[in-house]
Amino acid sequence: MENQEQGRRTFSKRLTPIEVEKRIILFFYTVVAEFFEFEEGRQFFMDVTDSLGKEWTFVGTFHANNIVENHVSISWAQFSLEKGLKVNDEVTFTEKPQGNGPWKKFKVVIKRKIRLFGQDIWGELMV
């Protein structure tokens, strides 16, 4: 799912059981096409700042697939462990303004659905 947040480009999704278990996040290439130029097998780096201001570097890889569709895998093992990510958490990457650096810069926000007084509420995960 792609959104516009305060004029900045974003991409987001809800985590699946495989993504939580393998500590990797997968996007169809069409979701991230305006951020990265596809080149099968090539790795790329993302400088990411979380909601607490901590900086992370995620490594992504492009995968070509005739059956499923071209996709991107983003490895974030330490981030996933430290944040305690769960199935159905929503992850949103928002592009940050950047200079001439070779890496893309993003802010990442994790939201989790909780049930409060019989209502489902999405709240930002601040850990």
Side-chain angles (χ1 to χ4, degrees):
M1 145 178 32
E2 188 174 331
N3 308 313
Q4 293 293 328
E5 182 181 288
Q6 299 174 351
R8 293 191 182 152
R9 300 183 307 170
T10 67
F11 58 98
S12 63
K13 73 174 301 194
R14 291 203 186 147
L15 298 178
T16 65
I18 298 240
E19 290 169 318
V20 171
E21 179 184 323
K22 301 289 185 187
R23 294 182 184 84
I24 196 165
I25 189 167
L26 301 169
F27 287 96
F28 286 119
Y29 179 66
T30 54
V31 174
V32 298
E34 67 181 278
F35 300 94
F36 307 103
E37 185 175 330
F38 188 86
E39 185 180 325
E40 181 181 1
R42 183 175 68 91
Q43 288 190 326
F44 62 92
F45 300 92
M46 298 170 61
D47 284 337
V48 178
T49 305
D50 67 18
S51 297
L52 299 176
K54 185 173 179 179
E55 295 188 4
W56 303 83
T57 298
F58 298 160
V59 179
T61 305
F62 295 104
H63 305 276
N65 190 312
N66 295 331
I67 298 170
V68 178
E69 184 177 334
N70 291 347
H71 62 281
V72 175
S73 63
I74 300 171
S75 178
W76 62 354
Q78 187 61 36
F79 179 86
S80 179
L81 282 170
E82 191 169 309
K83 300 295 181 181
L85 299 181
K86 296 183 179 182
V87 173
N88 289 325
D89 283 352
E90 184 177 88
V91 179
T92 302
F93 291 95
T94 303
E95 189 176 36
K96 293 169 60 175
Q98 55 201 33
N100 295 328
W103 296 4
K104 295 284 185 178
K105 297 178 186 286
F106 294 90
K107 176 176 179 174
V108 64
V109 173
I110 309 293
K111 291 186 177 179
R112 183 169 290 160
K113 183 169 56 172
I114 59 170
R115 193 150 184 87
L116 185 64
F117 302 116
Q119 298 289 327
D120 288 337
I121 298 171
W122 284 92
E124 188 172 340
L125 194 62
M126 301 291 286
V127 291

